[in-house]
Amino acid sequence: MPGIDECLLEAMTVNGARGAAVIEWTSGLALGMVGEVRDDDPEATAAETAELARMAAEQRAFAAVGADAEQGGDAEGASSVEDVIVTTGTCYHLLRFVDTAFDSGVFFYLWLDRREGNLALARMRLRDLSERLALI
Amino acid sequence: MNPHTDVPPAPPARPGGRTGTGPTLTVLAGERASGALLCEAGTVYLSEGRVVHAESPVAPGIDVLLTTGGRLTAETWREAVGHTDGPGGVGRFLVDTGRLSDAELEICHLGALFDAAYFALGTGTGPRGFQRDAAHWLGPVRPVGADAVERETRRRGRLLDDLWPCPQVDTAPVVLRSPDPRSPAVTRRQRAVLELADGVRTPADIARCLGRPAFHTLIDIRRLAAAGHVETPRPQATAPPARSPGPGAVVWPDTVPDTVFADPGIDLLRRLRDALEATL
């Protein structure tokens, strides 16, 4: 059963990976971080990606269709948004929400070099890793 | 270097806060001390200078976080606590017996640690004393550098003040109010907070009911207060006022971030008006 660090190190084996982190989007705190960080400011990077994750998780425009029928609990506050992807001319940034069975508000963040990385593959790897973070 | 000559870390961001009489976290970390740093609003546990856990009466403990959401039953938790005498403590027992994954324990533990540390170190009157060699029953999970805990505590204080610089909403009972129809919509997490606001529960009570870290609830409360969904009570007179305001005067928070005035949009002016009305 891997811990945060094992999952982060495994994320770094994704082709083109430059940095990975597990971040609380509710607070902007990085629980773990490996690899390169933009502008050498890990706290700012965590807070900025958390803000993007928060917007995606909370804005109604991105709620899953049919998610209005939410009266029946959803106690863990899981987001209906699965991931957020930002592409630039040189990089891919992937944010994947981790569905824990307690109220954590955590997402997995991975950024890749666009020339070496494969976006579809990286997204699937990140999905699997996020599930392993929260699953026994 | 004599650690006692160190400049103490920045005082708590809270207006009226003052440095307590106990040793500071920075000094203890420099000495690679182990034990419990007792603060007015919580306790921070150190092992060889690194922070291994924190607790605060304001912040739900890891037991509340894990059982409220249904991740563990109360029975499983009690069973684990019965094994505190093991070498690894309760945390290790939960992982070794397959109740939790390592990552789950780490995520929950770190969330609870930084949450409680914010209240212990960032609010109240600071450290009161140090109980050397006291260890927490949870056992070591993922130790964190003391400087990281101090930095994060300060960042959290700034974050709250940037959202709505009225710390009195953090501790007062949450009272609903009818917002302006143009107020920002309430998010799903905020709706859960509002549903528990009965005019008696404080943000800490609501956090406990929801099984959420208290700081996360404070973020929601400050946003809801800024948007006019909950009342912003008049500031308590606990902060020693530098000058005593006349009757009926508006008591401004000690620190009003410049950012508040950087964008004098109509929305901001409306919120200011609402806040003024709430305090008059």
Side-chain angles (χ1 to χ4, degrees):
Chain A
M1 292 186 288
I4 294 174
D5 285 338
E6 287 82 354
C7 288
L8 286 173
L9 290 174
E10 199 172 327
M12 291 302 286
T13 66
V14 173
N15 275 352
R18 294 184 62 174
V22 172
I23 300 168
E24 266 186 4
W25 61 261
T26 36
S27 67
L29 167 71
L31 304 181
M33 216 176 224
V34 294
E36 291 174 73
V37 175
R38 282 295 310 271
D39 301 329
D40 281 332
D41 189 345
E43 276 154 36
T45 300
E48 286 169 12
T49 48
E51 188 60 12
L52 176 62
R54 185 181 76 79
M55 296 302 283
E58 295 198 327
Q59 299 297 321
R60 277 187 297 191
F62 305 121
V65 174
D68 289 342
E70 61 187 86
Q71 304 293 5
D74 204 2
E76 73 273 24
S79 166
S80 55
V81 175
E82 293 177 346
D83 42 24
V84 178
I85 296 170
V86 177
T87 68
T88 69
T90 52
C91 298
Y92 295 130
H93 299 263
L94 282 79
L95 287 69
R96 176 86 196 185
F97 290 94
V98 178
D99 196 5
T100 54
F102 51 91
D103 197 292
S104 65
V106 164
F107 68 97
F108 209 128
Y109 170 58
L110 175 67
W111 70 294
L112 326 158
D113 190 303
R114 184 170 178 146
R115 285 162 306 183
E116 299 167 45
N118 176 319
L119 183 57
L121 216 56
R123 180 173 173 265
M124 285 196 289
R125 287 283 300 279
L126 198 59
R127 179 197 60 200
D128 294 345
L129 278 169
S130 299
E131 285 171 0
R132 283 182 55 198
L133 257 187
L135 231 69
I136 288 191
Chain B
M1 185 179 74
N2 179 359
H4 295 288
T5 60
D6 280 358
V7 178
R14 183 60 42 108
R18 56 196 157 76
T19 309
T21 50
T24 66
L25 184 61
T26 310
V27 168
L28 293 168
E31 293 172 355
R32 297 178 56 81
S34 298
L37 180 61
L38 311 170
C39 306
E40 185 190 48
T43 305
V44 178
Y45 291 86
L46 289 151
S47 175
E48 297 182 358
R50 291 172 72 76
V51 178
V52 284
H53 201 51
E55 279 183 337
S56 166
V58 183
I62 189 170
D63 52 333
V64 175
L65 299 179
L66 285 170
T67 55
T68 306
R71 181 62 191 84
L72 293 181
T73 64
E75 197 180 333
T76 304
W77 181 261
R78 275 194 299 273
E79 185 196 353
V81 172
H83 288 78
T84 46
D85 48 346
V90 173
R92 202 65 250 160
F93 174 82
L94 286 167
V95 171
D96 287 347
T97 54
R99 301 320 204 274
L100 281 180
S101 75
D102 278 298
E104 279 180 308
L105 177 64
E106 288 172 3
I107 288 171
C108 198
H109 160 73
L110 287 175
L113 187 161
F114 281 99
D115 192 34
Y118 167 73
F119 294 100
L121 301 170
T123 71
T125 52
R128 283 178 163 177
F130 186 62
Q131 207 176 338
R132 212 162 277 281
D133 294 327
H136 194 272
W137 47 260
L138 183 67
V141 177
R142 193 182 160 94
V144 188
D147 53 340
V149 174
E150 294 266 21
R151 263 201 322 277
E152 176 65 11
T153 297
R154 288 196 293 271
R155 187 188 72 84
R156 290 183 173 211
R158 288 195 304 271
L159 178 61
L160 289 180
D161 279 345
D162 283 349
L163 293 174
W164 186 239
C166 302
Q168 66 270 26
V169 299
D170 297 353
T171 46
V174 183
V175 178
L176 296 176
R177 74 191 286 271
S178 308
D180 189 299
R182 289 164 296 176
S183 289
V186 173
T187 67
R188 191 171 49 161
R189 289 177 66 85
Q190 289 173 345
R191 196 153 53 234
V193 171
L194 291 179
E195 281 168 4
L196 289 169
D198 58 1
V200 177
R201 292 191 185 101
T202 62
D205 298 332
I206 292 176
R208 195 170 302 277
C209 292
L210 293 171
R212 284 182 191 171
F215 177 77
H216 298 187
T217 310
L218 292 192
I219 289 182
D220 281 330
I221 289 290
R222 294 258 188 145
R223 284 204 172 99
L224 288 166
H229 291 283
V230 304
E231 297 281 0
T232 299
R234 186 184 282 268
Q236 294 290 310
T238 48
R243 55 203 172 279
S244 107
V250 175
V251 182
W252 285 102
D254 282 4
T255 52
V256 179
D258 296 338
T259 50
V260 167
F261 298 104
D263 173 26
I266 189 74
D267 185 53
L268 172 69
L269 292 172
R270 189 171 44 74
R271 285 190 283 134
L272 277 173
R273 184 203 60 202
D274 288 356
L276 285 171
E277 282 172 5
T279 54
L280 284 175

